[in-house]
Amino acid sequence: MATAAILKQHTPPGPPPISTNPLGQLRFGLRVTGDPLNVMLGWFKEYGDMVHLQFGETAHVYFLAHPDHFHTVLVEKADQFHKAGSYKDKIRGLARILGNGLVTSDGDYWRRQRKLIQPAFHARRIEAYAEEMVNLTLHMLQKWQDGQRVDMNQAMMRLTLAIVAKTILDTDINDDAEKIAEAVTVFQHLAFGVDIFPLWLPTPSHLKQRRVEKAMNDVVTALIAQRRNVTEDRGDLLSMLLNSVDEEGQGMTDQQIRDEIVTLFLAGHETTANALSWTWYLLAQHPEVEQKLHEELDRVLQGKAPTLADLKKLPYTEQVLQESMRLYPPVWNMSRQALADVEVGGYTISKGSEVNLNTYAMHHDPRWWEDPERFIPERFSPEREKQTPRMAYLPFSSGPRVCIGNSFAMMEARLILATIAGRYRLTTPESYQLQVEPLIALRPRGGLLMTLQKRRTESGQRLVLSETAR
Ligand code: HEM
């Protein structure tokens, strides 16, 4: 009783403890896993910025949504936290598919890998991919027709997949790339869906998991073996990984390269595809923003496809994407585990506790964002951006574990948005009801069916657009 009273004073408020008996777990699992985002938002509303949840007698989970708390966990005391939750679970979580890659690893091992991989993301290296990104987008557009209906979520997934396949593996989108993509999608559902059966049970879904996992591992293993025999730098990320050595002259083993490739495949295509999907959805709902975007694109590009050099002349295009990632941050929640007792926001988070940083809640908080539910790209104009509190906008996280692909993703998303919006308007049917599906990335549930409209000039003429990048 005395212990409970002391604990109460030292823990933030939260829902009643969750029983560890199987029925209690199942009930909780179904409620939270079924709709984790809304459940968490409800808790923040009821209990404030820091929510505590206890499982049984000893396990504690914290949910945070305040910019200062993000700063403490991600920057100031980053070395006192490791990755947690579904990142680490080797049976049902991301670690099963990603192994010990950059997203799931920790400590000295992570530091070494980050150092080895970082050069692959240097500006000069990734800028070389700009033309390829535009060409792959134009290639997709060649198959589009005026009036056609397209699932834009699927189209963006395919396009960003083609881009990672080219930039990571220097391969065109083919059966091999599809096998990797299928596996990462299936395992996301395993990590974030509800599955009450033990994994050894041969349910159709478990059999599918085993099949796609094997297919993916076979592809990646063969690919590495093939490329080990070639010493030339093909300009892709795999070349960098194969040729990189640490201070002791040690390179990466095949297993390490396998884990990093699969990690980059997952981290590098889902997130960008979803950021773009939300952008198309928001543009369709906000014709005044869409018009301003079109004006910028038409003025700067004059009907041509964008190049890397054009990007700095397209500030509104960037603001549209930034605001879209505020409203729908692709990585909406980040999990960590405390390595020691750590003080955050005046409370002690005990060693071993799990901490969830809810970027979505922070991005929708009226204390930091005026009219937070409204889509206003001008928030990110140079004049207004300064008004946002530090750390209140973190689509790519912050601190040592900040997204390594940040610049890659922003370059890619701007080029794709400019290429497509220069040629097409996309509309949603009136009956469309948006539903958010929070897996590892926030995505539109059931896809995003949109109608393509070739853009016309003010006098009603179809725009004549050059199909080649300058
Ligand atoms: C709009 C697109 C993207 C968004 C919103 C995004 C967001 C994020 C966030 C929030 C994290 C931190 C996760 C955490 O610490 O819990 C992260 C990490 C990471 N991202 Fe991205 N990402 C995007 C695109 C990319 C791309 C294109 C790549 C690679 C080609 C990439 C590779 C990674 C990797 C490897 C990590 C782990 C870094 C580490 O822990 O050292 N991401 N990303």
Side-chain angles (χ1 to χ4, degrees), residues 74 83 87 101-105 110 113-114 117-118 121 133 164 167-168 237 260 263-276 325 328-336 357 359 394-398 400-410 412-413:
L74 295 173
K83 290 290 183 95
Y87 287 124
L102 214 48
V103 166
T104 39
S105 59
W110 164 79
Q113 292 297 102
R114 177 103 189 189
I117 296 169
Q118 194 75 56
F121 288 91
M133 289 170 175
V164 288
T167 52
I168 297 176
L237 298 183
E260 300 302 357
T263 295
L264 291 172
F265 246 81
L266 173 73
H269 95 282
E270 283 261 346
T271 40
T272 317
N274 285 301
L276 283 159
M325 286 193 290
Y328 298 104
V331 178
W332 62 280
N333 185 72
M334 295 180 277
S335 304
R336 296 289 187 272
L357 299 155
T359 308
L394 292 183
F396 294 104
S397 187
S398 186
R401 310 250 1 197
V402 66
C403 175
I404 203 170
N406 180 344
S407 308
F408 180 107
M410 280 312 287
E412 175 185 15

Side-chain angles (χ1 to χ4, degrees), residues 33-49:
T33 320
D35 193 5
L37 177 59
N38 281 317
V39 170
M40 289 180 205
L41 292 178
W43 286 339
F44 290 124
K45 221 171 173 175
E46 193 171 348
Y47 303 109
D49 285 323

Side-chain angles (χ1 to χ4, degrees), residues 140 143-145 147-156 426-427 429 447-452:
M140 176 188 78
K143 295 181 209 120
W144 281 14
Q145 311 235 329
Q148 188 188 340
R149 291 178 102 191
V150 170
D151 180 340
M152 280 306 281
N153 193 233
Q154 215 174 65
M156 293 300 98
L426 301 166
T427 54
L448 177 61
L449 204 57
M450 300 189 87
T451 306
L452 308 177

